[in-house]
């Protein structure tokens, strides 16, 4: 019976690992998408300002 108890514990651990992996995927992908969207929004918000500053700098150099 001790072998059966050991096998049961191993199966429970494997099941917990699988559930943790599934939860990480469910939480991770939307979080990754949110981070990408926020960084894209920040880039769009500040990119024009930096582009204008760079253009002015190069136009003054000419």
């Amino acid at each position: 019976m001790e072998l059966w108890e050991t096998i049961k514990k191993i199966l429970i651990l494997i099941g917990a690992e699988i559930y943790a992996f599934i939860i990480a995927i469910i939480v991770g992908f939307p979080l990754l998408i949110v981070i990408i969207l926020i960084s894209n929004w920040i880039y769009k918000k500040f990119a024009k300002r930096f582009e204008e500053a760079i253009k002015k700098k190069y136009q003054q150099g000419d």
Side-chain angles (χ1 to χ4, degrees):
M1 290 303 273
E2 198 169 310
L3 179 64
W4 176 245
E5 295 295 323
T6 307
I7 292 172
K8 256 168 87 172
K9 288 180 183 177
I10 291 171
L11 289 175
I12 290 171
L13 285 173
I14 291 172
E17 291 286 329
I18 291 171
Y19 284 132
F21 184 70
I22 291 171
I23 291 171
I25 289 173
I26 290 171
V27 172
F29 279 129
L31 189 63
L32 182 65
I33 291 170
V34 166
I35 290 171
I36 290 170
L37 289 175
I38 290 173
S39 63
N40 194 18
W41 175 75
I42 291 171
Y43 173 76
K44 284 181 180 177
K45 184 167 184 158
F46 294 107
K48 290 180 183 177
R49 194 178 304 169
F50 291 130
E51 285 178 9
E52 290 172 3
I54 291 170
K55 284 180 184 177
K56 286 179 184 176
K57 184 178 179 182
Y58 282 115
Q59 286 174 353
Q60 289 174 355
D62 290 342

